[in-house]
Amino acid sequence: MQLEIIDNLKRMRELEEAWSHLARTTPYPMLQYNWMLSAAEAYEDQMDLQIFAIWEGSALAAVAPLGYFRHGLQGQLRCLADNVGEPDAFLYSNQAALDGLLSAILRQGRALKPSHLSRDGAEYASLKASGRRGEDRIRRGL
């Protein structure tokens, strides 16, 4: 698995086909490529794009559509759909890809604010399973 952090709209646009393929079974419409691209464009002046992508060879295996939103001297990683009240969720093809994605996010050392992360979802379970470090990062973000 290889991590890529997408920090610009040009690169995000290049992922349309791979993203759409990964999102084909998600129950969350807001995770579809076109919606996330629209959100990234709308919030471009308010955040630094930080889309975490895990690749398995040439296949996109997981993606976390995040932005780094600044508040004074501090900031938080937040889902691009955060402001619309939709569930925070990530796209992933398997548990190993999700675990790798969350590990990469936590290694960045930035607070993660999963405002609408389901306590029953795989994302929350993986964050909790990552141990104290994951719980601290979540708490700092809330």
Side-chain angles (χ1 to χ4, degrees):
M1 283 190 260
Q2 182 176 351
L3 170 68
E4 178 182 9
I5 299 175
I6 294 118
D7 62 0
N8 64 77
L9 290 171
K10 180 179 186 256
R11 178 63 179 133
M12 184 181 182
R13 288 184 182 103
E14 293 170 356
L15 298 181
E16 180 177 7
E17 186 177 332
W19 189 310
S20 296
H21 180 74
L22 186 61
R24 71 190 181 287
T25 61
T26 184
Y28 303 112
M30 298 298 185
L31 285 176
Q32 297 296 326
Y33 170 81
N34 287 330
W35 199 95
M36 283 297 161
L37 177 62
S38 295
E41 291 170 340
Y43 297 130
E44 184 176 19
D45 294 336
Q46 301 171 37
M47 56 88 188
D48 297 325
L49 196 61
Q50 294 284 285
I51 297 173
F52 287 71
I54 298 289
W55 295 88
E56 291 178 346
S58 62
L60 184 59
V63 65
L66 303 173
Y68 186 68
F69 291 81
R70 296 182 191 281
H71 303 285
L73 297 176
Q74 297 182 355
Q76 300 169 328
L77 286 171
R78 297 189 344 221
C79 183
L80 294 177
D82 181 65
N83 291 335
V84 296
E86 288 295 314
D88 288 344
F90 304 140
L91 296 172
Y92 53 95
S93 59
N94 57 62
Q95 188 65 44
L98 174 61
D99 291 343
L101 182 69
L102 293 171
S103 176
I105 292 168
L106 294 174
R107 277 195 312 268
Q108 295 303 308
R110 293 181 165 175
L112 173 64
K113 182 183 179 189
S115 300
H116 307 288
L117 191 65
S118 169
R119 304 281 187 212
D120 298 325
E123 294 91 343
Y124 186 79
S126 290
L127 280 169
K128 252 189 110 136
S130 68
R132 181 86 182 145
R133 184 171 179 224
E135 290 178 30
D136 287 347
R137 291 280 181 241
I138 295 169
R139 252 188 234 111
R140 284 183 40 212
L142 293 175

